[in-house]
Amino acid sequence: MKTKQLRDRLLQLFPQDQVFTDELSRLVKGTDAGLYRLIPKAVVRVDSEEEVIRLLGFCRTENLPVTFKAAGTSLSGQTISDSILMEAGSGFEFSTITDEGRTATFGCGLTGAAANRVLMRYRRKLGPKPASINSAKIGGIIANNASGSSYGIQHNSYNTIRSMRIIFADGSLLDTADNESCRTFIASHPQLIAEIEQLHNDAVSHEAIRKKIASKFEIKNTCGYGVNSLIDFNDPIQIIQHLMIGSEGTLGFVSQATFKTVRDAPMKATAMIYFPNLREVSNTIIPLRSCQVSAAELMDRNALRAVEDQEGMPGELKSLPEGAAALLIDTSADDEETLLSQMAEIEEKLAHIKTLTPIRFTTDKHLYNLYWNVRNGLFTSAAATRPPRTASIIEDVAFRAESLGDALTDVRELLVRSGYGNAVMWGHLLDGNVHFTVFPDINTPEEVEKYAVFMEELCELVAVKHNGSLKAEHGTGRNMAPFVEKEWGGEIHDLMRRIKKTFDPANILNPGVLINDDREIFIKNLKRIPEAHPIIDKCIECGFCEVNCPSKNLTLTPRQRIVAYRHLAEPEASATKKSKPIQKQVKDISYPLEETCATDGLCGLACPVRIDTGKLVKELRWQQNGRLANRMADIIAANMAGTTSLLRGLMPIPHYIGKSVGYGIMESVTKGLYRLGDGAFPLWTRHTPSGSKRITQNIFPAGAPDAPVAVYFPSCITRAMGGPSFGYQEAEDIPQKMLSILRKAGYTVIIPEEKNRLCCGMAFSSKGFRKQAQKKENELNEALLKASRDGELPVICDMSPCLLHMRETLDKRLRLYDQVEFIHDFLLDRLQFTRQPVSVAIHTTCSSTKMHLEEKLHRVASRCAQKVTLPENIDCCGWAGDRGFFYPELNNSALAPLRDSIRDATEGYSNSRTCEIGLSINSGIAYKSIVYLVDKATT
């Protein structure tokens, strides 16, 4: 079926905004974290079970295979397709908590981190804890039987699932928690039920098969289907439910699942223990399994070497001998006495094992985080230093406790012999589960062949020599499908084939995954990884960045922008575009690629290799800026005082008119102008600020001669448009409120003499005007050094994005504080607070997140208001400086959940005047600067 015909057929079934058949969307949405690339014929986003059933019916009729995709963080090629790709949409992002958090039901589209945030108030959490939990969604966690650093055998999806709703290939729906649904399903599917019962009988009646299955699942195993369900259960419904776990979308679609949750004890302790070699650290696995251990993370010498030079790492890492290894042990309890007892037991059980340093636990929060930073930075550092054009492949094996030492030694020898001696090895010791990285250049046939030989030898070593698991927690996918039979043998592999045939006789659900007769499928359809741009070349396309992105539901995510740019940078792509320069190709897709990127940098915080895709976008904007645009930027930069003065005079006018004719009429007129100008005119709403008053003084003295002194830099935004808007009860602007607070606290305030022409340069930088940005940065730097006496006095800025930019670009002698940080660090003890009888919502801006101000904002707000709400699942607001005026759809998309998340809050507060505009528009309450709340609550 041709693309246009396919699109027309799908549009008869789904709304236009849920069907994607254009070249760009199919490329970027068809990408996952694995090393394979397939381009789907169409991508369909579904938001309900009814839509899933509808799409499956279409695929059955047209005999078109369909692949399910949640977050696309899978590493083994599970969520790619050259047919129909089905994305789980926001309709599946829901949760229901029962039994005081002991059980919880989640939609398949909710991330693991979001689920844990809901459970946090009950001191509970999900059992599975994959490294991708911030991005991975419930559907993917189930489909891959993900586990992670928690003791996976006990707390994976298989062992914590209580019920699920499943949609099968024939469109039927089964709710395993509903007895009537189960009876109906059994009655309507007699052949399937009979085959499930026969599979169960064949597995349990054949002693050798039953023993092998039981033995293989004593350790982590996600290689092939979860055939342990055939011997663990008699009830066909329970067998079906547990077969779905780890089935990678090949048996059906799980729309929601109910889990038994795990206690998240509040008191935690950790110990970093160093061993002379991998064998010694492997000897700890059996004694540790008899202790109360939350996690036991293994790190080899290469792993420790990868992070030892990073800032904040423990100094002892550099002194460790060659071949050494480390173990990070974590234990937790509900009270101090129990925690101390657990620590003592662990030390006692490990006393006979040789270590390089004594075992010492710590409950110190700083040390605790420091040790976990070592562990969490391993993959980051290793992947960031890999050679250009190479893929980053994480293999994932598991061994029995008694053979772990020998097995790890053999794996390390194989890596060295195969030319991957720089591989970093780490893992979850309690499960005998070890990960390691290899970095093949999959752009060349020679390197692909080298990788293929390595995989053949690895599978022989793991599955045959040491009877281990070829895939412990990353799933089979295409990567390990050819080797499933090697691990399980012909008889059990035949059981797996029968399982697939039973559930999906037409083979339309994710074919080629998990069961595949092509012995070379693991080296086919490999991604090409060109050298596209130094900013993004280290990207491994894992998708961890996507969850924080404000444009993720509007245009592209950071991963998708990188995939698109890499495609344009490939010579083959350029040839198909008649050799257009890449700048021209970028311009052709500028709206999704560049114009709707907020450049907030949150993607860099989530990225394992710290890629800030916003920096690439700024680079593209710099390349696209023409002579006229640069001239206009020069004029504004040189005339900042006039620009702010003009805006100060213009901003109140629409409010005067709005109050006269009605805000509704005024907004209708301004929306019409915005549409007529096609983005040339900014969109004005009732929440757009009015102008600020001109600041005429440079010094505001306190009454006492020995009063503390601070420098206050009102940003150009608050000098021009820091005034109130619709919903404000106060008439004062932000600078007036800031000065009021400082005056109450007894401070003498200095404002830089040339304040009216000053700007931090961020507005120019975000648009790619580098020269103009540097000019304003230099001017501000000189003025603040003079006002602060070369950094002696603290400097306060009233816009968190501006303050962050100042910290990144100005003289390090300057002591720069955001308004929230200064109030928290200097004023809480100098002001008398009276909690106001209000419920308020607060918003942590992107810049505040980067500066780690979340807790300080919450503490300040909590001193002022009786109830403080931090809306869940709200990250960047998407206003992005002035982008919200010209691309309001970005702001609306980013804040779509906000109105339902503010709960009973009647007021909102943040620390960026522009962000507060979009927050007000999308919440239904007026958001203001936090200084308004502090001023109201203090004397």
Side-chain angles (χ1 to χ4, degrees):
M1 192 181 301
K2 291 185 178 180
T3 301
K4 185 181 183 306
Q5 183 186 4
L6 177 60
R7 178 176 176 79
D8 290 344
R9 294 288 305 279
L10 289 170
L11 288 177
Q12 294 173 7
L13 301 173
F14 299 95
Q16 185 173 337
D17 64 350
Q18 292 178 227
V19 177
F20 306 88
T21 56
D22 61 285
E23 182 182 356
L24 176 64
S25 295
R26 291 188 293 115
L27 169 69
V28 299
K29 288 178 174 290
T31 296
D32 73 1
L35 65 155
Y36 306 99
R37 176 90 71 217
L38 292 174
I39 310 297
K41 292 181 174 68
V43 181
V44 180
R45 189 182 71 243
V46 291
D47 287 310
S48 67
E49 292 177 338
E50 191 275 331
E51 289 184 346
V52 175
I53 293 168
R54 197 187 310 160
L55 181 58
L56 286 175
F58 172 78
C59 291
R60 279 197 317 277
T61 301
E62 301 298 330
N63 195 29
L64 286 171
V66 58
T67 295
F68 310 137
K69 181 181 179 183
T73 58
S74 300
L75 292 164
S76 302
Q78 295 97 314
T79 53
I80 59 172
S81 171
D82 56 4
S83 183
I84 304 295
L85 187 67
M86 187 182 85
E87 282 188 343
S90 58
F92 292 103
E93 297 174 9
F94 57 83
S95 61
T96 303
I97 308 302
T98 46
D99 193 19
E100 297 183 335
R102 292 181 181 84
T103 55
T105 300
F106 300 113
C108 65
L110 198 71
T111 66
N116 280 338
R117 282 196 294 271
V118 174
L119 289 169
M120 191 181 299
R121 65 181 70 108
Y122 303 98
R123 293 197 182 279
R124 309 290 295 183
K125 61 183 179 180
L126 285 174
K129 189 187 175 184
S132 59
I133 194 165
N134 289 337
S135 300
K137 298 182 178 181
I138 296 298
I141 290 172
I142 291 171
N144 292 293
N145 195 17
S147 46
S149 60
S150 59
Y151 193 176
I153 299 172
Q154 292 180 344
H155 297 143
N156 60 10
S157 297
Y158 185 89
N159 287 309
T160 57
I161 197 74
R162 287 299 171 263
S163 66
M164 59 174 67
R165 288 174 67 90
I166 311 164
I167 300 172
F168 296 91
D170 64 0
S172 58
L173 188 149
L174 168 64
D175 183 348
T176 65
D178 184 332
N179 291 334
E180 182 59 33
S181 176
C182 292
R183 283 193 293 269
T184 300
F185 185 83
I186 291 171
S188 62
H189 291 75
Q191 187 173 345
L192 186 150
I193 296 298
E195 184 59 27
I196 291 295
E197 291 174 338
Q198 187 60 53
L199 283 163
H200 163 72
N201 291 333
D202 290 348
V204 297
S205 62
H206 194 303
E207 186 65 13
I209 289 177
R210 188 190 63 76
K211 283 186 175 180
K212 183 165 187 175
I213 292 173
S215 172
K216 294 289 287 182
F217 281 100
E218 288 174 354
I219 60 175
K220 270 189 188 177
N221 197 317
T222 61
C223 184
Y225 286 114
V227 287
N228 49 336
S229 56
L230 298 177
I231 65 171
D232 290 344
F233 302 96
N234 298 312
D235 177 19
I237 296 297
Q238 284 297 319
I239 293 174
I240 289 170
Q241 174 170 286
H242 286 81
L243 277 173
M244 296 303 299
I245 296 168
S247 63
E248 301 175 21
T250 64
L251 304 182
F253 176 80
V254 178
S255 63
Q256 71 174 49
T258 300
F259 295 90
K260 177 185 177 183
T261 62
V262 176
R263 174 72 177 163
D264 187 14
M267 303 200 68
K268 304 177 191 300
T270 190
M272 181 73 84
I273 311 171
Y274 303 106
F275 297 83
N277 53 56
L278 285 170
R279 286 186 183 278
E280 292 293 349
V281 74
S282 298
N283 291 335
T284 66
I285 184 172
I286 293 177
L288 283 177
R289 283 181 175 175
S290 65
C291 302
Q292 292 298 315
V293 177
S294 308
E297 296 294 282
L298 163 72
M299 294 161 274
D300 78 346
R301 187 67 186 93
N302 278 5
L304 299 172
R305 189 178 292 112
V307 297
E308 65 185 21
D309 290 324
Q310 291 186 7
E311 184 179 352
M313 290 296 110
E316 66 262 23
L317 295 184
K318 292 185 178 182
S319 63
L320 294 174
E322 193 62 34
L327 185 64
L328 178 63
I329 300 177
D330 205 299
T331 186
S332 58
D334 288 321
D335 58 79
E336 184 177 6
E337 183 180 352
T338 305
L339 187 67
L340 290 171
S341 173
Q342 291 173 188
M343 291 156 55
E345 182 186 20
I346 294 168
E347 291 174 5
E348 180 187 345
K349 292 283 180 69
L350 300 185
H352 67 287
I353 299 173
K354 183 179 180 181
T355 60
L356 296 176
T357 55
I359 301 173
R360 294 192 184 94
F361 275 92
T362 181
T363 57
D364 178 81
K365 191 173 182 179
H366 173 75
L367 273 177
Y368 184 93
N369 292 331
L370 177 64
Y371 290 148
W372 273 103
N373 284 342
V374 176
R375 164 62 182 87
N376 294 334
L378 299 182
F379 177 59
T380 302
S381 302
T385 57
R386 73 187 193 276
R389 293 166 47 88
T390 58
S392 178
I393 300 173
I394 310 174
E395 289 302 341
D396 164 46
V397 296
F399 302 101
R400 303 185 75 83
E402 56 271 20
S403 62
L404 184 62
D406 290 338
L408 294 188
T409 302
D410 286 349
V411 169
R412 172 54 69 190
E413 289 175 355
L414 174 61
L415 287 166
V416 172
R417 189 170 70 251
S418 302
Y420 301 125
N422 61 345
V424 167
M425 187 182 293
W426 74 98
H428 318 305
L429 186 85
L430 289 176
D431 300 308
N433 175 200
V434 178
H435 306 309
F436 56 87
T437 57
V438 292
F439 306 128
D441 182 351
I442 55 178
N443 300 287
T444 66
E446 296 79 13
E447 282 290 317
V448 171
E449 178 59 24
K450 172 183 167 182
Y451 171 68
V453 171
F454 166 74
M455 285 295 293
E456 294 281 359
E457 293 189 31
L458 176 70
C459 291
E460 184 70 23
L461 187 157
V462 173
V464 180
K465 182 176 180 180
H466 291 291
N467 192 28
S469 302
L470 291 173
K471 284 293 180 183
E473 59 179 4
H474 292 171
T476 307
R478 287 167 171 76
N479 182 233
M480 203 56 74
F483 305 103
V484 173
E485 188 171 2
K486 179 182 283 289
E487 174 168 340
W488 285 99
E491 290 179 312
I492 297 177
H493 193 242
D494 284 343
L495 289 179
M496 294 182 181
R497 288 181 180 277
R498 286 168 56 192
I499 290 169
K500 172 64 173 173
K501 188 73 173 175
T502 298
F503 283 84
D504 182 24
N507 196 30
I508 66 165
L509 300 182
N510 212 5
V513 166
L514 214 144
I515 299 291
N516 200 311
D517 292 327
D518 186 347
R519 294 285 302 167
E520 295 188 344
I521 191 65
F522 74 107
I523 52 170
K524 290 182 177 179
N525 302 305
L526 298 174
K527 289 177 180 175
R528 289 184 60 81
I529 305 177
E531 287 186 80
H533 196 289
I535 292 175
I536 60 169
D537 282 343
K538 297 300 182 185
C539 176
I540 56 177
E541 300 183 8
C542 65
F544 286 15
C545 57
E546 295 187 328
V547 68
N548 294 330
C549 181
S551 63
K552 63 179 181 287
N553 295 322
L554 178 67
T555 52
L556 301 181
T557 67
R559 167 167 65 176
Q560 292 170 349
R561 289 187 170 97
I562 291 174
V563 170
Y565 190 83
R566 279 178 166 171
H567 177 68
L568 297 182
E570 285 193 69
E572 291 83 353
S574 296
T576 62
K577 301 294 183 184
K578 298 181 181 178
S579 299
K580 283 184 185 178
I582 190 168
Q583 289 84 358
K584 179 64 174 70
Q585 296 181 60
V586 166
K587 194 169 184 179
D588 290 344
I589 57 170
S590 61
Y591 179 77
L593 183 68
E594 174 264 306
E595 293 172 30
T596 50
C597 176
T599 65
D600 57 23
L602 290 185
C603 51
L605 298 183
C607 173
V609 291
R610 297 298 181 260
I611 294 170
D612 179 354
T613 311
K615 290 182 179 178
L616 173 68
V617 169
K618 290 177 184 178
E619 179 92 5
L620 299 180
R621 290 173 184 170
W622 172 71
Q623 293 171 359
Q624 300 287 342
N625 286 334
R627 186 176 300 175
L628 178 60
N630 271 286
R631 179 60 184 148
M632 289 296 297
D634 284 336
I635 292 171
I636 294 171
N639 297 276
M640 186 58 66
T643 302
T644 54
S645 178
L646 177 64
L647 285 171
R648 193 182 301 123
L650 290 175
M651 298 305 291
I653 295 175
H655 285 284
Y656 293 145
I657 300 172
K659 289 174 183 176
S660 299
V661 303
Y663 273 112
I665 294 174
M666 186 62 189
E667 285 182 332
S668 296
V669 172
T670 55
K671 284 178 183 176
L673 287 172
Y674 170 76
R675 293 193 186 101
L676 186 66
D678 194 25
F681 300 112
L683 178 64
W684 183 93
T685 73
R686 66 187 67 192
H687 296 291
T688 303
S690 57
S692 305
K693 290 185 178 180
R694 191 169 187 270
I695 303 171
T696 56
Q697 292 177 241
N698 293 326
I699 297 180
F700 295 81
D706 59 345
V709 184
V711 176
Y712 170 39
F713 167 57
S715 69
C716 60
I717 291 291
T718 54
R719 294 199 311 273
M721 44 187 278
S725 59
F726 182 82
Y728 279 56
Q729 287 75 46
E730 305 88 343
E732 295 88 354
D733 55 37
I734 291 174
Q736 288 176 286
K737 287 292 183 182
M738 191 75 237
L739 289 167
S740 172
I741 293 170
L742 291 169
R743 189 163 50 246
K744 289 179 187 178
Y747 267 79
T748 289
V749 182
I750 298 172
I751 295 182
E753 293 175 3
E754 299 178 328
K755 56 188 173 296
N756 292 322
R757 73 181 184 94
L758 296 177
C759 167
C760 71
M762 184 194 68
F764 296 97
S765 174
S766 65
K767 291 179 174 57
F769 294 112
R770 295 175 176 174
K771 181 185 71 171
Q772 297 85 350
Q774 190 171 29
K775 170 184 169 67
K776 303 313 292 182
E777 291 158 9
N778 291 340
E779 291 173 356
L780 180 60
N781 193 63
E782 183 180 343
L784 290 183
L785 282 172
K786 180 180 177 181
S788 69
R789 304 168 194 163
D790 288 334
E792 178 185 336
L793 302 176
V795 178
I796 313 157
C797 180
D798 52 20
M799 280 278 292
S800 64
C802 298
L803 190 279
L804 176 62
H805 186 75
M806 290 159 61
R807 283 186 174 175
E808 293 170 341
T809 58
L810 302 190
D811 194 305
K812 299 306 177 187
R813 287 176 292 172
L814 291 168
R815 297 159 54 205
L816 302 169
Y817 293 90
D818 170 82
Q819 54 191 335
V820 168
E821 190 172 22
F822 191 83
I823 292 168
H824 180 277
D825 292 358
F826 293 90
L827 305 187
L828 289 185
D829 294 332
R830 299 184 68 90
L831 295 168
Q832 183 174 336
F833 288 81
T834 301
R835 277 198 179 91
Q836 303 298 295
V838 293
S839 175
V840 305
I842 57 174
H843 175 73
T844 306
T845 62
C846 310
S847 45
S848 297
T849 298
K850 291 181 182 178
M851 295 186 289
H852 308 292
L853 298 182
E854 303 98 318
E855 289 186 13
K856 291 184 178 182
L857 175 60
H858 193 275
R859 286 193 198 113
V860 170
S862 297
R863 290 286 292 270
C864 301
Q866 284 186 349
K867 184 176 180 182
V868 178
T869 295
L870 185 63
E872 294 173 349
N873 304 321
I874 300 295
D875 296 297
C876 174
C877 71
W879 194 268
D882 66 352
R883 208 139 285 252
F885 289 119
F886 298 96
Y887 302 94
E889 64 273 24
L890 175 60
N891 173 243
N892 296 338
S893 179
L895 294 181
L898 180 60
R899 193 176 293 266
D900 293 331
S901 301
I902 60 172
R903 299 178 187 169
D904 62 349
T906 56
E907 302 173 15
Y909 295 94
S910 190
N911 54 344
S912 168
R913 187 62 186 99
T914 50
C915 297
E916 289 149 18
I917 304 169
L919 291 162
S920 300
I921 292 171
N922 288 280
S923 66
I925 61 174
Y927 269 77
K928 311 170 192 176
S929 168
I930 189 70
V931 297
Y932 282 89
L933 181 61
V934 175
D935 188 57
K936 183 165 60 174
T938 57
T939 56

